[in-house]
Structure formats: structure tokens, C-alpha cells
Amino acid sequence: MNKVLLSNMMFYGFHGVHEYEREVGQRFYIDVEYCVNAEQAALSDDLTHAVDYTVVYSHVKQVIENHRFQLLEALGRHIADSLLELPLIRAVTVRIRKPYVPIPGQIDYVQVETQRTKA
């Protein structure tokens, strides 16, 4: 089993509980870690036996830019479920960082982590 990590992808999305967050939007930073059986890919050195990183990136981009969620938990689950539809991915962890949160104090970001496994 192999783990693959796409780290600190940045997308602009319109997610949040407050209406202004869904109207103005903001940057979201995403990490995706997924588990695959890459034995055949490692032996063949052939991309057709692996999960193409660009496909994973495109799935995440599509969800973040084309859907709107109030909660990061819902966004994370939707991203994870989308990635589990890819045939070779067995498990996925999605971390979403939202730097601009309506908290009256100094904070770098809020992060939600979602883990999903193929049944």
C-alpha cells in the first residue's frame, strides 16, 4: 500500500456559515492524502496503473469551485467521497484550512480533517 500526499493546494471558494462568506469568497488550503495499492504501477512504471495526481487535483478543484457549503465538514466529506469514486483509491484524508474565520481574536486558520474509507 502506498500513501500519496498533495499538499497545500490553494483554491478560491464560497463556503461559510455567514452570507458574506458565501458572497465574497476566500482562499481555502487543502491537503489530500490517499492510499492506493501501487504495486502494479511500481513494477510497470506506467501511469495507467496509478492514480494520476492531476486527476485528484481536478476533482478537488471542481468540488471547491463549483459547490457551496456552509460547513467545512460538509465540504471535506464531499471532496473525500468524490475521490473515493476513483477506482484505485482505497482511503482518503482531506484537510481543509480556512484562514479568514469570524473569530474575534488572533488565529492563523481553522482546519477540519475528514477521513473516509471505501466500503
Side-chain angles (χ1 to χ4, degrees):
M1 195 66 69
N2 290 78
K3 281 188 180 180
V4 179
L5 175 63
L6 279 72
S7 183
N8 216 32
M9 297 177 281
M10 191 279 296
F11 302 100
Y12 201 87
F14 298 86
H15 312 287
V17 171
H18 301 286
E19 188 174 330
Y20 69 85
E21 294 178 292
R22 294 187 306 274
E23 288 177 3
V24 176
Q26 67 173 290
R27 291 183 179 141
F28 292 84
Y29 297 88
I30 314 293
D31 300 334
V32 169
E33 181 178 309
Y34 58 91
C35 296
V36 296
N37 183 345
E39 186 65 22
Q40 190 173 6
L43 292 171
S44 68
D45 196 24
D46 184 344
L47 181 59
T48 61
H49 298 133
V51 176
D52 187 339
Y53 312 143
T54 63
V55 171
V56 172
Y57 182 93
S58 294
H59 271 258
V60 176
K61 178 179 173 60
Q62 189 279 332
V63 171
I64 289 182
E65 294 182 353
N66 296 313
H67 297 276
R68 292 186 185 209
F69 296 95
Q70 290 188 45
L71 301 179
L72 296 180
E73 292 85 347
L75 175 59
R77 181 181 177 128
H78 200 82
I79 292 170
D81 288 345
S82 169
L83 293 174
L84 285 174
E85 292 176 8
L86 297 173
L88 296 176
I89 294 180
R90 297 291 166 236
V92 64
T93 300
V94 177
R95 290 177 203 89
I96 303 169
R97 287 177 299 288
K98 181 178 176 179
Y100 304 107
V101 293
I103 293 177
Q106 198 64 20
I107 187 169
D108 285 341
Y109 55 81
V110 168
Q111 176 173 290
V112 170
E113 180 174 306
T114 302
Q115 297 179 337
R116 305 281 289 159
T117 303
K118 201 173 270 184

